[in-house]
Amino acid sequence: MGWIIALCALLVLLIVILVFSFFAYRLVFYVPSKHKEDVYAIPDDEQYAHDRDKMISLIKEIDTLPYERVYCIAKDGIALSGRYYHTNDNAPIQIQFPGYKGSSIRDFCGGCKLARELGFNVLLVDQRAHGMSEGHTITFGVKERYDCLCWIDYAINRFGKDIQIYLAGVSMGGATILMASEFDLPKNIRGIVADCPFTTPPAIIKKVCKDRGYNPKIIYPFIYLGALLFGHFKLNAANSSEAVTHTDIPVLLIHGEDDKFVPCEMSKEIKNNCVSYSELHTFPGAGHGISFIVNHERYKNIASSFLEYCKNNKIENN
């Protein structure tokens, strides 16, 4: 009789674990099919209140630009979508990756403008489970880093084997391109610009859990299990800080010193681990992902100088 009670208790425990893990997956990683993004939705946070009008103005500017809707197929078969903005024939291209649950033209309302001003053609992608791209699961860069390879192949196939490519990302997008930097990338990749990236998926998730009053030691195991069982990926399978120990691509890191979402210390850790040429520039008073908005002239000067360095210093990364 005792073993039956023990077995029932074990089954109840397993059911509870599965239920909590499922809800954790739905809350953190899942995006429903009918999700409709509002490109003008600015987070209701004090960090953005002062610059809300500037951001909306930049979003309107990019939202009215002509673009070509483009697609590629990810490693796992889902269709990925993006916007191609043509500036000049034979110009280098910058592939831009937005952040977690972010709109591409919102997250890059400043970055897209800057890239075009600096003479780049721009491929502004929708991350998987965002915008026009397919998929239901956000993986914090674990699968998105392979999507980065897909977009690189697309650019080379379309614009030719000699096309110069630069990767840019904000928040999770910045982590995505840094995680991809450890792959055997083609020589076309000349530089990486990562704005407020996080070090690892577990680190940023635990940090956010703590910020919201949840004990990470209790909550995180359910989140990890939810990702594994229902999202079919391991949260600890990719690491920005580790990836940059395997790349020779120049890296520019930018981070707002008042970033309350992704700590500035994460970019400092990545910079300390980077074995290639790297720069880290922090912006006083800037919140998460809005360093360009807070001081666009300084941002432009830093980016322009870095990109000029990449242009004049050929690397052998293949």
Side-chain angles (χ1 to χ4, degrees), residues 284-297:
H288 185 62
I290 57 172
S291 294
F292 177 85
I293 306 295
V294 171
N295 192 337
H296 65 276
E297 283 300 325

Side-chain angles (χ1 to χ4, degrees), residues 97-206:
F97 296 80
Y100 173 79
K101 293 188 177 179
S103 158
S104 57
I105 65 172
R106 185 196 71 192
D107 287 4
F108 271 95
C109 61
C112 184
K113 177 183 177 69
L114 175 59
R116 289 182 292 108
E117 288 178 348
L118 295 177
F120 286 86
N121 294 324
V122 175
L123 178 53
L124 179 53
V125 310
D126 291 335
Q127 296 261 44
R128 59 173 53 223
H130 294 74
M132 298 288 290
S133 289
E134 294 180 349
H136 295 289
T137 303
I138 301 170
T139 71
F140 282 73
V142 174
K143 292 185 179 181
E144 288 85 355
R145 59 189 171 144
Y146 293 102
D147 299 342
C148 181
L149 301 183
C150 172
W151 285 115
I152 291 170
D153 287 343
Y154 171 88
I156 294 173
N157 290 334
R158 174 167 176 174
F159 300 106
K161 61 183 179 62
D162 295 323
I163 184 68
Q164 291 187 15
I165 301 172
Y166 295 78
L167 305 177
V170 172
S171 193
M172 189 186 81
T176 295
I177 59 177
L178 291 172
M179 291 173 186
S181 71
E182 68 178 347
F183 295 139
D184 186 19
L185 299 179
K187 66 182 184 300
N188 308 73
I189 310 302
R190 304 303 301 273
I192 291 173
V193 181
D195 191 321
C196 57
F198 54 76
T199 50
T200 70
I204 190 60
I205 288 173
K206 290 176 182 178

Side-chain angles (χ1 to χ4, degrees), residues 21 25 43 56 58 60 84 123 140 149 161 164 188 196 207-208 211-212 227 230 234 274 315:
S21 298
Y25 162 74
I56 290 176
L58 286 168
K60 286 181 178 178
Y84 173 67
L123 178 53
F140 282 73
L149 301 183
K161 61 183 179 62
Q164 291 187 15
N188 308 73
C196 57
K207 187 267 179 186
V208 173
D211 287 346
R212 296 185 179 181
F230 305 105
K234 293 182 179 180
C274 196
I315 57 173

